[in-house]
Every structure is written in structure tokens, then in C-alpha cells.
Amino acid sequence: MPLKVVFMGTPDFAVPTLAEIVGGGHEVVAVYTRAPAPAGRGMALRPSPVQALAEKFGLPVLTPATLRTEEATETFRAHEADVAVVVAYGMILPPAILGAPALGCLNLHASLLPRWGGGGGGQRAGAGGEEERGVEGM
């Protein structure tokens, strides 16, 4: 059964998951990612890899500076998502966001938590010899 999904991610690492969700026939009602950042010699604003893919699929993209406002919470709730899938988004989700989707939020991480949590967890897990990965419900 197709789900209504909010996807939250930013770097290349998150792109395959978004592609699989779309390819699986789920309805992606919104994609949250970090705002475009200056990059390259001209320091032109460059969208995140997730934003670039979302735009190719014609998905709505949101780049809020924070999720800790009532406005951000109401916008998120208005999606009426069944689930949120979070992959290297880059922001901590407040309780109001975590509780909004009917089935909750799933955090896909490059390493098992909490041992290798935080930024660079995937690299530290690899350097530590870890071969196992996991999925965490938030």
C-alpha cells in the first residue's frame, strides 16, 4: 500500500533512499533539505543533492532555517504524512515534528546508533571496522 511520505535529507548519501521511495510508488508529499549553499569558485548558491533530485521528480522542496517554530510545525502537519523518512538531514527534529506523521519518523543512518552517531558516523564506523548498518525509529 503506497504511503504519504515526507522525506528529509541533504547530501549524496540520502539520494538513493529518496529515489527508492519514489520508485516504490509512494507519494512524496514534501522534501525537506538544507538551503542552497555557496559553492565553487564563483560561490554561486548550489542546491543540495537531495533538492536537485527532488526537483527532477517535480517534488515540492522546503528549506526551512529551523523546525522549532509554530509555523514550521503547522506546515509540517499540513502534509498529513503517514511517515517521515530522515536520512542525513542535518537538523535535530523537535518533538512536535517527530510526533506529526501517523506512523512516526524513521531515521536511516550510515552507522548503528549510538556508538557511531553524529556527523561523520558512517566514516567513523568504517574506520572502526564496522560492517553492520541499521535503521532506527525515532
Side-chain angles (χ1 to χ4, degrees):
M1 176 171 124
L3 297 172
K4 287 177 67 174
V5 178
V6 168
F7 185 83
M8 306 175 88
T10 299
D12 286 323
F13 175 77
V15 168
T17 304
L18 175 57
E20 284 294 320
I21 291 169
V22 171
H26 299 288
E27 179 186 357
V28 178
V29 294
V31 174
Y32 282 70
T33 190
R34 300 303 298 255
R41 286 186 177 195
M43 297 304 286
L45 291 180
R46 182 176 297 160
S48 74
V50 164
Q51 181 174 349
L53 181 63
E55 289 174 351
K56 284 182 184 176
F57 285 136
L59 302 172
V61 175
L62 293 94
T63 59
T66 182
L67 295 172
R68 297 188 179 278
T69 65
E70 187 61 34
E71 180 182 352
T73 300
E74 289 306 314
T75 299
F76 193 88
R77 285 185 181 139
H79 301 307
E80 297 182 345
D82 296 313
V83 66
V85 176
V86 185
V87 184
Y89 177 43
M91 277 198 234
I92 295 173
L93 306 185
I97 298 293
L98 290 172
L103 301 174
C105 297
L106 298 175
N107 180 31
L108 279 65
H109 198 275
S111 66
L112 293 177
L113 300 174
R115 183 173 181 191
W116 302 107
Q123 293 89 338
R124 288 195 311 280
E130 296 286 343
E131 294 182 12
E132 187 177 7
R133 300 293 188 254
V135 176
E136 175 189 10
M138 297 167 66

